[in-house]
């Protein structure tokens, strides 16, 4: 597991600074610097262009995870799933279980494949000290970024601009995001039922 970086009060203030579009753009650029230090579950290309903060018990996160899978496979999109256990009593323990799994990507795939009733199907686990620090960093950054809920997506376009999206975007919006990240035309294997 990668080491975590502390978020100081000064960094929190920079990320939470309010202002116009130019200030938000600068804040997003700072956010990208810090999001790269989160502890994640990796999928797709080695070079990440999209980070998705998620809670293991979030049905909207589950829907976006499912929507991203064919895009990751077909277009090689680099996605990093950033666990934040915030929605239910079991969320933190489930996030810890994912990060402590021998193969976190496989554990997440199993959890998502058996997701039902608004709950991720993985047994909660007590976090080790290092995983507790990692989850604390992830949550503090999520809060510092002003996220209003999960899923919370941070992505970087091919032009180098950093953007954020809260919630599970509709298919057309997700296709636009992927097109800005990859530089390819707007097409996605995402199902039309969304």
């Amino acid at each position: 597991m990668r080491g975590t970086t502390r978020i100081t009060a000064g960094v929190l203030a920079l990320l939470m600074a309010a202002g116009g579009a130019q200030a938000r753009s600068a804040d997003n650029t700072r956010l990208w610097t810090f999001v790269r230090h989160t502890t994640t579950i990796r999928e797709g290309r080695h070079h990440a262009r999209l980070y998705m903060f998620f809670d293991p018990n979030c049905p909207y996160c589950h829907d976006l995870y499912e929507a991203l899978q064919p895009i990751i496979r077909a277009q090689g999109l680099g996605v990093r799933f950033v666990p934040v256990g915030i929605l239910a009593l079991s969320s933190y323990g489930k996030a810890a279980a994912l990060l402590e799994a021998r193969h976190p990507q496989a554990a997440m795939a199993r959890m998502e494949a058996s997701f039902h009733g608004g709950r991720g199907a993985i047994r909660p686990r007590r976090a080790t000290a290092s995983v507790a620090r990692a989850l604390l960093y992830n949550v503090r950054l999520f809060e510092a970024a002003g996220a209003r809920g999960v899923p919370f997506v941070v992505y970087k376009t091919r032009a180098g601009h950093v953007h954020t999206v809260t919630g599970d975007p509709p298919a057309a919006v997700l296709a636009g995001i992927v097109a800005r990240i990859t530089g390819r035309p707007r097409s996605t294997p995402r199902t039309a039922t969304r």
Side-chain angles (χ1 to χ4, degrees), residues 84-143:
V84 290
I86 58 174
L87 291 182
L89 289 175
S90 65
S91 294
Y92 183 85
K94 290 179 179 184
L98 288 170
L99 292 180
E100 294 198 15
R102 179 173 282 206
H103 302 289
Q105 183 181 355
M108 186 163 178
R110 283 191 304 276
M111 178 189 79
E112 295 294 347
S114 56
F115 192 95
H116 82 304
R119 298 283 183 242
I122 189 169
R123 183 180 299 233
R125 179 176 176 159
R126 186 174 183 175
T128 61
S130 62
V131 167
R133 282 191 303 274
L135 287 170
L136 180 61
Y137 180 89
N138 290 357
V139 169
R140 283 192 175 162
L141 183 59
F142 172 79
E143 292 170 348

Side-chain angles (χ1 to χ4, degrees), residues 157-178:
T157 67
R158 283 183 65 86
H161 303 289
V162 178
H163 301 277
T164 63
V165 176
T166 301
D168 178 18
V173 174
L174 183 58
I177 291 169
V178 172

